[in-house]
Amino acid sequence: MKAVIRFRVNGREREILTAPARTLLEVLREDLRLTGTKQGCGEGECGTCTVLLDGAAVNACLVLAVEAAGREVTTIEGLADGPSLHPLQRAFVDHGAIQCGFCTPGMILSAKALLDRRPDPTEAEIREALGGNLCRCTGYQKIVEAVLAAARATAGGEGGAR
């Protein structure tokens, strides 16, 4: 038996018919073609599938799609404003914080959740917020520097955090 769920994804009302056991990750990637959300471990350990659910960072592989009914989901595709990158996306590019890019969407969305609740985080707070996101390509220093730069940019009114 399938269920109809209605929710907002990247600011747009969506309605889908899905099996109740499907994850939010499956629905985003397979039904809505929002492939910026990556599938990693499938066990909530790596953070590559991180999306924002009502503004909180969650592992989409651990959330059933039906749990998103009536809620707001933001994926990496929802951050940019057309061709204009979000300040976090711009900072990741400018600071070389993108290696293979597989973990990047999850890192950026975890950082977005942090900056939305703590606009001027310390380096320790950034590292803690990104603790659930694993990068297998390199260290985290450039990623932390990018988040600090985005925090400064949004505090200075350069695009503001959305």
Side-chain angles (χ1 to χ4, degrees):
M1 180 170 200
K2 292 187 174 185
V4 174
I5 62 168
R6 293 176 187 86
F7 58 141
R8 285 182 69 80
V9 179
N10 297 333
R12 182 176 164 202
E13 294 293 331
R14 305 301 294 249
E15 179 179 296
I16 62 162
L17 180 65
T18 188
R22 291 184 73 215
T23 66
L24 181 58
L25 174 63
E26 292 169 322
V27 167
L28 291 171
R29 288 185 57 83
E30 297 166 13
D31 297 7
L32 301 179
R33 300 289 181 212
L34 295 169
T35 57
T37 304
K38 305 299 185 208
Q39 180 168 0
C41 67
E43 299 176 351
E45 297 292 328
C46 70
T48 59
C49 65
T50 301
V51 298
L52 301 181
L53 184 61
D54 292 337
V58 299
N59 292 318
C61 71
L62 298 180
V63 176
L64 294 175
V66 294
E67 294 178 89
R71 302 173 78 181
E72 174 80 30
V73 176
T74 304
T75 70
I76 194 69
E77 291 92 343
L79 284 190
D81 184 12
S84 299
L85 295 178
H86 183 276
L88 273 165
Q89 293 170 310
R90 171 57 44 212
F92 268 63
V93 171
D94 291 347
H95 289 268
I98 298 171
Q99 295 294 313
C100 78
F102 199 76
C103 69
T104 303
M107 291 276 187
I108 289 174
L109 290 169
S110 290
K112 169 92 169 68
L114 170 65
L115 294 183
D116 285 349
R117 66 176 193 279
R118 182 106 172 102
D120 188 22
T122 65
E123 185 174 326
E125 290 169 326
I126 293 169
R127 290 183 184 279
E128 182 179 335
L130 299 179
N133 297 86
L134 302 179
C135 172
R136 292 178 174 92
C137 295
T138 185
Y140 294 83
Q141 189 58 39
K142 290 182 179 181
I143 293 167
V144 171
E145 290 171 5
V147 176
L148 285 168
R152 285 190 303 269
T154 55
E158 296 177 31
R162 292 183 287 154

